[in-house]
Amino acid sequence: AQKITQTQPGMFVQEKEAVTLDCTYDTSDPSYGLFWYKQPSSGEMIFLIYQGSYDQQNATEGRYSLNFQKARKSANLVISASQLGDSAMYFCAMRAFYNQGGKLIFGQGTELSVKP
Amino acid sequence: DAGVIQSPRHEVTEMGQEVTLRCKPISGHDYLFWYRQTMMRGLELLIYFNNNVPIDDSGMPEDRFSAKMPNASFSTLKIQPSEPRDSAVYFCASSLGGFSGNTIYFGEGSWLTVV
């Protein structure tokens, strides 16, 4: 079964510090993509970063990086130099076509609070 | 480029009324998804379409829910009759298909309250 697990319902981080949000996944698809989305209190879903299952290097987008460990089936999001505006819900998601038909499945989310 | 456009943004309706949510996907995208988000259940995929054809509607909660995609630029999600437990945020999303790395882009959501 295809599944995404985020085990941290809530996290706190001090402003300007780095924080890691955990994500593990399970899939039988040979090829898949892993995504992180941010959902601020205003409600919209904002795409942050993508990692392909065959990518050799970890993805980075500005202050966001994805720590991809394929053997462990983990795709943790690292936010460096946290800012107050980073306070939001963060969702890990996976997309695959072979068994998943191209749909995106989500984890339960992690609520991040950045303290001044 | 315009993003995914949903309407209405907010709707308050009485139990038993029909609710229609609308979505315009990003031009050129061939996949369209409807998700529902609640505190209890998180983000649930209700149904998705590829080239206007429903591919998987196993997430549609019951017969009161129906979705259509008459053309590549428009989709509706209808609830008839609505119930208080249908109160949620409904997201429409779209993407290009064929590759697991194609990002799925979300609309701003339709906030539905059934009283």
Side-chain angles (χ1 to χ4, degrees):
Chain A
Q2 329 290 327
K3 190 177 179 182
I4 293 279
T5 303
Q6 294 179 253
T7 57
Q8 305 154 313
M11 290 277 288
F12 288 92
V13 65
Q14 206 68 34
E15 193 179 9
K16 299 180 185 176
E17 292 185 350
V19 62
T20 298
L21 307 184
D22 294 342
C23 172
T24 58
Y25 62 91
D26 194 14
T27 181
S28 53
D29 275 78
S31 175
Y32 47 91
L34 296 157
F35 300 81
W36 279 90
Y37 286 81
K38 173 184 179 182
Q39 187 177 40
S41 58
S42 51
E44 69 268 32
M45 294 287 287
I46 302 167
F47 163 70
L48 293 178
I49 194 167
Y50 158 78
Q51 177 83 44
S53 59
Y54 286 105
D55 291 344
Q56 295 297 313
Q57 292 191 319
N58 287 341
T60 60
E61 287 285 349
R63 294 186 298 110
Y64 304 109
S65 60
L66 204 152
N67 184 359
F68 180 49
Q69 298 188 42
K70 193 171 182 178
R72 293 186 176 184
K73 294 190 174 180
S74 74
N76 299 338
L77 177 71
V78 181
I79 306 174
S80 63
S82 298
Q83 301 173 356
L84 296 178
D86 294 333
S87 294
M89 282 289 289
Y90 289 82
F91 291 95
C92 180
M94 176 172 64
R95 189 177 194 191
F97 278 85
Y98 189 73
N99 286 313
Q100 241 171 263
K103 60 188 175 188
L104 189 70
I105 60 170
F106 284 89
Q108 307 92 312
T110 295
E111 184 169 10
L112 177 66
S113 298
V114 180
K115 293 185 170 182
Chain B
D1 260 350
V4 177
I5 299 172
Q6 293 186 243
S7 65
R9 289 294 318 281
H10 298 270
E11 175 139 352
V12 180
T13 191
E14 290 186 347
M15 183 173 64
Q17 295 299 305
E18 179 179 290
V19 173
T20 300
L21 308 178
R22 298 173 178 80
C23 176
K24 178 179 169 55
I26 293 172
S27 178
H29 282 186
D30 55 348
Y31 274 78
L32 183 138
F33 305 81
W34 283 100
Y35 285 87
R36 178 172 69 175
Q37 185 177 32
T38 60
M39 290 293 291
M40 293 295 293
R41 301 172 108 112
L43 275 158
E44 304 174 273
L45 177 64
L46 299 178
I47 185 171
Y48 72 104
F49 296 82
N50 177 220
N51 291 321
N52 314 337
V53 176
I55 303 300
D56 184 350
D57 65 354
S58 59
M60 296 286 262
E62 46 200 276
D63 291 345
R64 298 184 297 106
F65 285 70
S66 62
K68 292 182 180 179
M69 191 164 185
N71 58 62
S73 58
F74 184 66
S75 177
T76 59
L77 178 68
K78 191 171 290 188
I79 308 171
Q80 165 64 18
S82 57
E83 296 182 3
R85 60 192 168 124
D86 302 330
S87 298
V89 183
Y90 292 82
F91 286 102
C92 177
S94 74
S95 82
L96 292 170
F99 172 51
S100 56
N102 289 329
T103 301
I104 295 178
Y105 294 95
F106 284 75
E108 292 183 312
S110 291
W111 299 64
L112 174 65
T113 302
V114 183
V115 298

